[in-house]
Amino acid sequence: MIFALADLHLDYTNQKSMEVFGDDWKDYQEKIFKNWNKFVGKDDCILIPGDISWAMSLDDAYIDLKKIDDLNGRKILLKGNHDYWWTSLSKINNLGLKSMEFLQNNHFSYEDYDICGTRGWISRDSKDFTEHDEKIFQRELLRLENSLKESKANKKIVMLHYPPINSSGDFNEFFDICLDYQVDFLVYGHLHGFGHRLIKEGNIKGIGVRCVSGDYLDFAPVRII
């Protein structure tokens, strides 16, 4: 089975409070570790689309990553906008984590599915969207397409950190690429608290779309397949 849970925002120092986003974040780290093995089996796969640890350095992130590594399942991780510790793949892969793989300009296979994706970016109709944002937006589109081009499987799952949704509520170019490559499922995170109003889910033009933000799921992994 394949599960997903984004926005873990782990912080072994307990210095970064997430309760500014609402009472749902109270004791959220305890909820994550309590719920995980209730749902995810040792042979299952779990997708983690970004905002994994508040750590600023890879050495500090290792403490949080090792906690995830010790949980059930094969984990496929994607960089979020707060994962400042995420450096080069070679450095991350040299951490010696046994059950974790890192999605960046690549893809991974699990059973009949290929797992593809990229971080994504804020939508073009966001307030104060700049030329610099446009460069990042275009780069992330290219990364998503390259990831999907590598895939040889007939069944595909895409994971994004940012929702593929404009501020207007319409799906944007990231979703269009998923349509072009006949993606089966699309999961995303990033939206918290009041941002949940922007969530769009369901079978949309043949793609199963699901928001998997931690607080939206009460910090319990949700089954995708």
Side-chain angles (χ1 to χ4, degrees):
M1 294 184 285
I2 300 177
F3 294 83
L5 182 65
D7 303 282
L8 307 183
H9 287 288
L10 297 184
D11 173 27
Y12 75 91
T13 68
N14 291 314
Q15 297 298 308
K16 187 74 174 181
S17 173
M18 288 294 292
E19 291 183 34
V20 65
F21 290 105
D23 292 339
D24 290 343
W25 287 90
K26 184 175 176 59
D27 300 325
Y28 71 97
Q29 295 186 91
E30 289 83 353
K31 291 180 183 178
I32 290 168
F33 293 112
K34 180 181 178 180
N35 288 330
W36 192 292
N37 287 353
K38 283 184 179 180
F39 297 93
V40 181
K42 292 182 178 180
D43 296 326
D44 293 331
C45 179
I46 179 163
L47 313 180
I48 308 175
D51 282 2
I52 302 151
S53 169
W54 279 114
M56 299 298 291
S57 71
L58 192 55
D59 287 342
D60 286 341
Y62 176 80
I63 298 172
D64 288 327
L65 293 173
K66 186 63 171 64
K67 291 180 180 179
I68 302 172
D69 194 41
D70 290 338
L71 297 169
N72 283 350
R74 174 187 174 191
K75 300 92 181 178
I76 300 177
L77 285 70
L78 180 76
K79 183 179 182 180
N81 59 304
H82 290 299
D83 290 316
Y84 301 113
W85 55 269
W86 189 297
T87 56
S88 68
L89 280 184
S90 60
K91 290 181 179 179
I92 297 173
N93 287 328
N94 284 335
L95 291 174
L97 299 165
K98 296 179 180 179
S99 65
M100 305 173 76
E101 295 167 301
F102 300 88
L103 185 61
Q104 181 175 302
N105 295 319
N106 52 12
H107 76 281
F108 296 101
S109 299
Y110 178 81
E111 296 183 348
D112 296 334
Y113 288 87
D114 275 356
I115 314 299
C116 305
T118 192
R119 177 182 59 178
W121 198 241
I122 60 175
S123 64
R124 285 192 171 112
D125 65 347
S126 298
K127 184 180 179 181
D128 300 326
F129 189 87
T130 66
E131 290 183 7
H132 177 67
D133 291 313
E134 177 64 24
K135 290 178 181 178
I136 299 174
F137 193 95
Q138 290 289 346
R139 183 192 67 197
E140 291 296 309
L141 288 174
L142 182 61
R143 284 181 170 177
L144 175 58
E145 187 153 24
N146 286 342
S147 179
L148 285 163
K149 281 180 179 178
E150 281 191 0
S151 171
K152 305 302 180 185
N154 291 326
K155 298 180 179 180
K156 300 178 180 64
I157 298 174
V158 161
M159 49 193 296
L160 301 169
H161 178 64
Y162 285 91
I165 303 168
N166 292 327
S167 299
S168 63
D170 300 320
F171 283 97
N172 63 24
E173 291 85 345
F174 288 97
F175 186 77
D176 293 340
I177 289 176
C178 292
L179 286 175
D180 291 342
Y181 284 86
Q182 299 180 315
V183 168
D184 295 276
F185 296 93
L186 166 63
V187 298
Y188 65 90
H190 185 67
L191 298 177
H192 305 312
F194 190 61
H196 289 168
R197 73 193 190 282
L198 300 174
I199 289 173
K200 298 187 77 170
E201 296 182 305
N203 189 316
I204 302 172
K205 297 185 178 180
I207 300 176
V209 180
R210 188 70 194 262
C211 176
V212 296
S213 298
D215 57 325
Y216 183 60
L217 300 177
D218 198 22
F219 306 100
V222 64
R223 184 178 173 183
I224 304 301
I225 305 296

